[in-house]
Amino acid sequence: MAMNLSRLRPLLLILSGLFGACGVGLAAAAAHVTGAGNLLAPASSIALAHAPAVLMLYLAQDKVKTATLAGLVIALGTLLFCADLLLKQFTGNSLFPMAAPTGGILMMLGWLLLAAGAFLKRA
């Protein structure tokens, strides 16, 4: 009896969203554990990880109901997070109070919006 793998496709979307949210949280935790001496590494990894994700969400609008919203939320969060870390690294100042954590929360929310797309049928 052959298993219908297409029935498991939503699991990939759920796991992708959960992995993305966890990745953001772990990058933030790593920056705090190792200290804020070099903020360029976490900014770089976050930007590099989210660039293809945002591109994929742009391309997936016809397949995933939450793709555009998730992509916009992830992109805004990435922009806030990276801009704040870069500004802190080079000037010692913050973009605004709590800018990086706000960006991180937005990225995690965006990834969870992607995961939620697995439960919504595309019209």
Side-chain angles (χ1 to χ4, degrees):
M1 179 183 292
M3 184 175 174
N4 185 357
L5 290 179
S6 66
R7 292 178 54 203
L8 295 177
R9 285 189 76 234
L11 181 61
L12 295 175
L13 199 55
I14 294 166
L15 291 174
S16 173
L18 293 176
F19 292 161
C22 289
V24 173
L26 290 170
H32 290 287
V33 169
T34 60
N38 180 7
L39 298 175
L40 300 180
S44 171
S45 64
I46 288 294
L48 286 171
H50 288 85
V54 171
L55 175 61
M56 181 277 306
L57 291 167
Y58 166 79
L59 296 171
Q61 75 164 354
D62 293 337
K63 303 279 185 205
V64 180
K65 194 167 191 166
T66 59
T68 299
L69 180 59
L72 289 169
V73 172
I74 289 171
L76 177 60
T78 302
L79 183 63
L80 282 176
F81 185 88
C82 293
D84 192 52
L85 267 57
L86 291 171
L87 195 61
K88 281 181 189 173
Q89 180 70 44
F90 292 115
T91 70
N93 297 317
S94 182
L95 192 58
F96 58 84
M98 300 295 289
T102 300
I105 290 168
L106 285 171
M107 286 184 281
M108 289 187 274
L109 178 61
W111 281 106
L112 295 174
L113 283 167
L114 174 63
F119 299 101
L120 303 172
K121 295 219 186 253
R122 192 73 190 154

